Amino acid sequence: MSVKPALTAAPPLQRSLLNRLRYKHLHMLVALGSSLNLHRASISLAMSQPAATRMLREIEDMFGCQLFERLPRGMRPTALGLQLVRFAEASLNSLDRCAEDLAVRRQGGYGYLAIGTIMGAAPDLVMTAVAQMKAQSPQLRLRIMGDTSDQVLRLLDQRRIDLAIARRRIAGDSEAYDFEALGNERLLVVVRSGHVLARRRKLSWEELVRDWPWILQPASTPARIALDQLLHSLELPVPADVTECSSVYSMQQLVQLTDAVMLLSDSALKDYLRMGLVKTLPVQIDIPMAPFGMLTRKDQEASQEQQNFMDLLRAQARRLAA
């Protein structure tokens, strides 16, 4: 006769933390992590600063170490403090998501699905899948968020979304997330319609870098990395006059108001090119970006709604590739 193994008791420190850690403590960690200031955190939590100070000491006593460095102006999380802030964010977001999903189902709906997507994948791939999903399940509540890969993956880290359509980060994602490639994009260099460069049939990278301002995404983005690699291969410096912008929409607005040169993916520029608002310049970036795809958390089983949406994304990706 087989005997079931006894459940392993949690270590004493772990039991102590589970018994003492409260919902209000998670809120305090998140407030301090975002404000980096005890006074502002106390205001956001509608409590006095002395009470906030006592609560922080209580949390640090639980873990037996300092979680925030006290600075002359504000605070800074220690390495463990930063880890706990992320844990608190993910925990609170998971609770909020669970409550929202239950509320939707009680009202006769069919659940809730939150999606994060990069702009490049949104027009042809994600929005088509969203339209098909709503046609199949009209009462499913869908939320779409995101812009760049960095922003989308941050939402996935915080558990504010169920599924990310983005590019993987250089390191760390393989341990926490499963990745399935869906496609890629082509990078274009554009200017506003009516720009003096829009009439040129021949241009050199050296002239563009030396003589013109640029609108670029932050240094950590795949498009910016590809440009830096290209300029390095051509032995050219990075542009001296750069406006960095993390919002693709803001970039598209800004290029209309300036004489700057802008680098973006063809999918993000599709509508602007069709309407004649921007013109492609006769230069090429031969260094490809890493493919984008679906990222899901390894520690969380996909819901039926999420599985259905992923199947729609796969089918649409195959149609676009064909």
Side-chain angles (χ1 to χ4, degrees), residues 2 52 115 128 161 199 201 210 246 274 297:
S2 63
I115 305 153
T128 300
I161 57 175
R199 299 189 294 271
R201 295 186 178 181
R210 183 189 65 227
S246 60
R274 187 178 67 246
R297 287 186 290 270

Side-chain angles (χ1 to χ4, degrees), residues 1 9 22 30 51 68 82 89 91 102 131 203 217 232 244 265 271 275 278 285 289 321:
M1 182 178 67
R22 298 286 184 264
V30 171
F68 288 86
L82 187 60
E89 288 176 342
S91 298
L102 289 173
L203 271 171
Q217 292 173 293
H232 179 74
E244 280 195 1
S265 67
D271 290 338
M275 292 185 290
V278 294
I285 295 183
M289 293 194 294

Side-chain angles (χ1 to χ4, degrees), residues 50-248:
T53 301
R54 287 194 298 271
M55 185 182 291
L56 176 58
R57 286 202 198 103
E58 183 182 338
I59 297 170
E60 290 182 327
D61 286 344
M62 289 182 207
F63 290 92
C65 62
Q66 187 179 24
L67 300 178
F68 288 86
E69 295 179 54
R70 278 62 164 177
L71 304 174
R73 295 184 180 178
M75 314 182 84
R76 179 172 58 204
T78 63
L80 181 56
L82 187 60
Q83 185 176 346
L84 286 171
V85 168
R86 290 171 178 164
F87 164 77
E89 288 176 342
S91 298
L92 292 175
N93 285 326
S94 293
L95 286 169
D96 289 343
R97 290 291 317 283
C98 181
E100 189 162 0
D101 186 60
L102 289 173
V104 170
R105 292 181 187 276
R106 276 202 309 268
Q107 295 167 7
Y110 290 89
Y112 174 84
L113 183 63
I115 305 153
T117 179
I118 58 174
M119 285 295 293
D124 296 322
L125 178 63
V126 177
M127 295 310 163
T128 300
V130 166
Q132 294 170 341
M133 188 76 179
K134 288 297 288 183
Q136 293 178 7
S137 306
Q139 291 180 289
L140 173 69
R141 184 172 297 181
L142 270 165
R143 179 175 294 171
I144 306 162
M145 294 181 278
D147 195 344
T148 66
S149 286
D150 286 345
Q151 293 169 342
V152 170
L153 292 174
R154 176 69 173 152
L155 294 172
L156 192 61
D157 289 339
Q158 295 173 335
R159 296 181 180 268
R160 293 175 61 190
I161 57 175
D162 304 299
L163 170 69
I165 298 94
R167 288 180 172 81
R168 286 184 290 190
R169 287 171 290 211
I170 296 174
D173 284 342
S174 59
E175 297 178 3
Y177 305 119
D178 290 316
F179 176 79
E180 181 181 338
L182 290 175
N184 211 336
E185 302 165 284
R186 184 168 57 104
L187 289 172
L188 300 177
V189 180
V190 301
V191 292
R192 61 174 173 80
S193 181
H195 194 291
V196 64
L197 292 179
R199 299 189 294 271
R200 296 275 295 274
R201 295 186 178 181
K202 206 169 186 181
L203 271 171
S204 70
W205 277 105
E206 182 179 7
E207 179 185 351
L208 286 176
V209 170
R210 183 189 65 227
D211 297 340
W212 295 96
W214 284 72
I215 300 170
L216 297 172
Q217 292 173 293
S220 61
T221 57
R224 184 72 174 273
I225 292 171
L227 176 64
D228 290 344
Q229 290 175 344
L230 174 69
L231 296 179
H232 179 74
S233 69
L234 297 174
E235 299 182 350
L236 292 173
V238 296
D241 185 354
V242 173
T243 300
E244 280 195 1
C245 190
S246 60
S247 166
V248 172

Side-chain angles (χ1 to χ4, degrees), residues 288-301:
M289 293 194 294
F292 64 79
M294 295 185 289
L295 287 113
T296 53
R297 287 186 290 270
K298 288 185 176 180
D299 64 353
Q300 183 171 329
E301 186 176 352

